[in-house]
Amino acid sequence: MEPAYFIYAFAGGLLAMILRLPPLAGFLAAGFLLNYSGYELTPTLNAIANLGVTLLLFTIGLKLNIRTLLQSEVWGVASLHITLSSLLFVLIIGLLKFGGIVLMQSTDWTAILILAFALSFSSTVFAVKLLEERSETQSFYGRVAIGILIMQDIFAVVFLSATTGSLPSVWALGLFLLIPAAPFLRKILDRLGHGEMQVLFGFVLALVLGYKLFEMVGLKGDLGALIMGILLAPHKTSASLARSLFNIKELFLVGFFLSIGLTALPSWEHVALALFLLVLLPLKTVLFVLMFPRFKLRVRTSVLTSMTLTNYSEFGLIVAALAMTQGWLSSDWLVILSLSVAMSFVVAAILNNYNERLYQLSRGRLDEVPAADLHPHDKPIELNGAQAVILGMGKIGRGTYQRLQDKYNLNVLGIDNDQNKVERLSEHYQIVEGDAVDSDFWDKLLVSDQVQLVVLAMPHHAGNVYALEQLRGRDFKGRVAAIVEYPDEVERLKALGADEVFEVYEGAGLSLADRAMQEVY
């Protein structure tokens, strides 16, 4: 592969970081610049992009609780939204037929219906990437967003089967045997440790038993990777496997974002129509925001979930390509959709940087669901007289909890945004589900003067920074301690007023030395 692909991608990602945008916005821009510079989408880059998407869906499955899909706020909103948004887009795009645009005059109503359906989907790749960057894939709003995206993937499989005129092979029924085979696969995972064999096994599951096997029986390969991840999700090392694949997946996804820009070279008419489709994007957001409160979600959850889903999907390109082979859509629309998808990613990246501010602007303008009627995961947090609060109940958080409770006799409350972790630890810890980057969360949390200490033990540095800003902005009088992974993060937290900041690995070394010398002295 040409060195230019790496140079453009790095330069684009670096520029995006300087502008305080997610690097993926820079990768998208790099793809278009490569295109204008005469480079093309190569088979190698396309293979890397497909690998990135497949591994992403596999790792989503590893973290997914299947019960999420059975929640009414997931399947209900997904079904209603895709229906209403498709109808709305048909009406609006249909009006262009009478606007004198040459390309629209040659586009029939079948093509318009397909375009509207394609635009109703949101991007799984983009949305999950945003959630991962904020460590919020397991937050309540993150789980709802991912659930809706997976429901859309299921709708995609139905659409692809129906429009190609070919149903899955009868051998697809044999895939149900993967369910009783799952315990055997988990036992294999038990014996592999945490090295290269674990990573290699993940590739075998995602690409062979997942993607290739499903593709062979006429189903969408990416769906197979997702299902394989779901089957392994209950295993105790599933989180470790997801972490092992994280950097590989991230690198391959750079290829995906580059490939969007390299898909086709647009004309000015294409750009104008792509901009028009981009103007329709807020309609998707509005529909989501209006629907979620009907399912007992509070305004913040509704707004943040809607913002995460405010983009067009790469699935739109698949729909366009399929419709083009069937003769329902001209090749021009593939170019236009490629451009609008890329533009929507850039716009969504910027908007999601300010999602909390956008929520604050919407407060008072949207009717809040009464607290008594809220979804169980959206109800206010009860402090129960806590004197110390631990934000982030990973290994460090749990160790801190135990120390404060056993040595200092404090009434400690643990808070984590991972529902599965909360359920698993609730037997031994006083722990509740909560999202520390939720501004409402802080209003609910600091209602008691009994809280003497807050420990910021979340894995994501940006989350700890936000939490500290909220604490100091609300004039919290107690002490604040925080952890960091890298030395250059210490000064930022101290400047914001943290009383104590500990480097994770330095703290681990001190603890190891103390324990090692216990028997000596």
Side-chain angles (χ1 to χ4, degrees):
M1 196 160 65
E2 288 283 346
Y5 292 95
F6 297 97
I7 296 169
Y8 277 59
F10 178 76
L14 182 61
L15 180 60
M17 291 179 69
I18 292 172
L19 296 175
R20 296 195 174 187
L21 292 173
L24 61 87
F27 302 149
L28 286 166
F32 281 106
L33 285 174
L34 282 166
N35 199 332
Y36 278 108
S37 299
Y39 292 93
E40 297 179 350
L41 179 58
T42 65
T44 302
L45 183 61
N46 194 48
I48 290 172
N50 289 336
L51 275 172
V53 173
T54 301
L55 289 176
L56 175 70
L57 290 169
F58 178 64
T59 54
I60 291 171
L62 288 172
K63 301 173 186 177
L64 181 69
N65 186 334
I66 195 65
R67 289 177 295 174
T68 300
L69 300 183
L70 304 178
Q71 301 294 319
S72 60
E73 66 272 11
V74 172
W75 65 264
V77 171
S79 304
L80 279 173
H81 189 274
I82 206 164
T83 303
L84 294 179
S85 60
S86 294
L87 291 174
L88 186 60
F89 289 156
V90 164
L91 292 174
I92 295 173
I93 297 173
L95 292 175
L96 289 181
K97 280 185 69 69
F98 308 103
I101 300 173
V102 175
L103 182 57
M104 286 304 308
Q105 290 174 349
S106 62
T107 303
D108 60 22
W109 287 100
T110 301
I112 291 174
L113 182 59
I114 291 170
L115 286 170
F117 181 69
L119 294 171
S120 68
F121 285 79
S122 299
S123 171
T124 302
V125 177
F126 182 87
V128 174
K129 188 79 167 57
L130 279 179
L131 291 168
E132 283 185 342
E133 287 176 354
R134 297 197 293 257
S135 294
E136 292 185 348
T137 56
Q138 295 303 312
S139 66
F140 179 51
Y141 92 86
R143 295 197 307 271
V144 172
I146 291 173
I148 289 173
L149 290 164
I150 291 171
M151 288 300 301
Q152 290 182 351
D153 284 339
I154 293 171
F155 298 150
V157 172
V158 174
F159 174 83
L160 290 173
S161 298
T163 52
T164 54
S166 60
L167 294 173
S169 163
V170 67
W171 293 104
L173 295 173
L175 294 175
F176 285 105
L177 294 175
L178 290 172
I179 297 174
F184 174 70
L185 296 174
R186 294 172 199 154
K187 284 184 180 179
I188 295 177
L189 191 57
D190 267 332
R191 296 178 175 273
L192 296 179
H194 300 280
E196 66 276 7
M197 284 299 292
Q198 185 191 58
V199 174
L200 187 58
F201 188 54
F203 270 78
V204 170
L205 292 172
L207 303 178
V208 182
L209 288 181
Y211 192 99
K212 194 63 181 178
L213 186 59
F214 274 63
E215 198 176 53
M216 286 171 62
V217 296
L219 290 171
K220 193 179 178 192
D222 290 336
L223 180 67
L226 175 69
I227 289 175
M228 290 308 303
I230 292 172
L231 291 175
L232 284 184
H235 193 271
K236 61 185 178 182
T237 62
S238 61
S240 172
L241 177 57
R243 285 194 298 272
S244 298
L245 293 170
F246 181 81
N247 288 331
I248 301 172
K249 173 204 68 180
E250 293 290 287
L251 185 60
F252 286 166
L253 281 176
V254 174
F256 168 77
F257 290 113
L258 286 178
S259 70
I260 294 290
L262 285 163
T263 302
L265 199 61
S267 67
W268 286 113
E269 185 180 16
H270 294 151
V271 172
L273 284 170
L275 285 170
F276 174 79
L277 296 182
L278 193 67
V279 172
L280 300 181
L281 194 58
L283 296 176
K284 292 182 69 171
T285 313
V286 171
L287 282 176
F288 275 125
V289 170
L290 294 177
M291 286 179 184
F292 283 124
R294 304 293 181 269
F295 291 85
K296 310 301 182 185
L297 304 189
R298 62 193 177 96
V299 171
R300 181 185 183 270
T301 305
S302 302
V303 170
L304 265 65
T305 310
S306 302
M307 294 301 298
T308 304
L309 298 170
T310 299
N311 50 70
Y312 293 136
S313 173
E314 61 282 352
F315 174 68
L317 305 181
I318 299 172
V319 170
L322 176 63
M324 191 173 65
T325 61
Q326 300 286 342
W328 300 331
L329 205 63
S330 71
S331 58
D332 290 301
W333 282 110
L334 181 60
V335 180
I336 294 165
L337 280 173
S338 298
L339 197 57
S340 62
V341 168
M343 287 176 174
S344 77
F345 286 178
V346 175
V347 170
I350 296 170
L351 290 177
N352 277 275
N353 267 2
Y354 302 97
N355 57 3
E356 191 66 33
R357 292 186 190 178
L358 291 170
Y359 158 60
Q360 294 295 342
L361 289 173
S362 66
R363 292 181 71 178
R365 295 179 172 84
L366 299 171
D367 293 332
E368 190 66 83
V369 178
D373 299 332
L374 281 171
H375 189 287
H377 294 300
D378 245 359
K379 287 183 180 292
I381 294 171
E382 298 291 337
L383 283 175
N384 298 324
Q387 298 166 295
V389 175
I390 313 293
L391 295 172
M393 287 293 284
K395 291 181 180 179
I396 295 174
R398 296 196 297 272
T400 307
Y401 183 110
Q402 210 70 50
R403 188 75 164 175
L404 291 173
Q405 186 180 65
D406 296 344
K407 184 172 182 177
Y408 299 99
N409 298 315
L410 294 179
N411 181 11
V412 187
L413 175 69
I415 298 175
D416 202 281
N417 66 5
D418 186 334
Q419 179 191 12
N420 296 329
K421 187 184 295 182
V422 171
E423 291 175 354
R424 189 172 66 250
L425 297 178
S426 59
E427 187 175 339
H428 304 290
Y429 299 88
Q430 183 181 211
I431 182 171
V432 296
E433 183 181 351
D435 187 354
V437 294
D438 174 354
S439 58
D440 288 352
F441 163 85
W442 293 100
D443 292 331
K444 299 167 191 169
L445 181 67
L446 300 179
V447 294
S448 170
D449 293 332
Q450 287 183 302
V451 179
Q452 305 167 18
L453 171 67
V454 173
V455 179
L456 308 178
M458 293 177 286
H460 189 42
H461 178 62
N464 289 328
V465 169
Y466 179 84
L468 186 53
E469 289 173 341
Q470 295 300 309
L471 283 164
R472 293 317 186 198
R474 286 166 170 74
D475 200 26
F476 175 59
K477 302 299 183 183
R479 292 181 64 79
V480 179
I483 63 167
V484 296
E485 187 173 357
Y486 303 106
D488 61 343
E489 296 171 342
V490 173
E491 290 305 316
R492 176 81 189 279
L493 290 172
K494 285 188 174 180
L496 288 171
D499 298 292
E500 299 290 344
V501 181
F502 300 91
E503 291 182 40
V504 172
Y505 301 116
E506 179 184 353
L510 293 173
S511 298
L512 178 61
D514 288 343
R515 290 195 180 188
M517 296 302 292
Q518 277 178 355
E519 298 300 323
V520 178
Y521 293 97

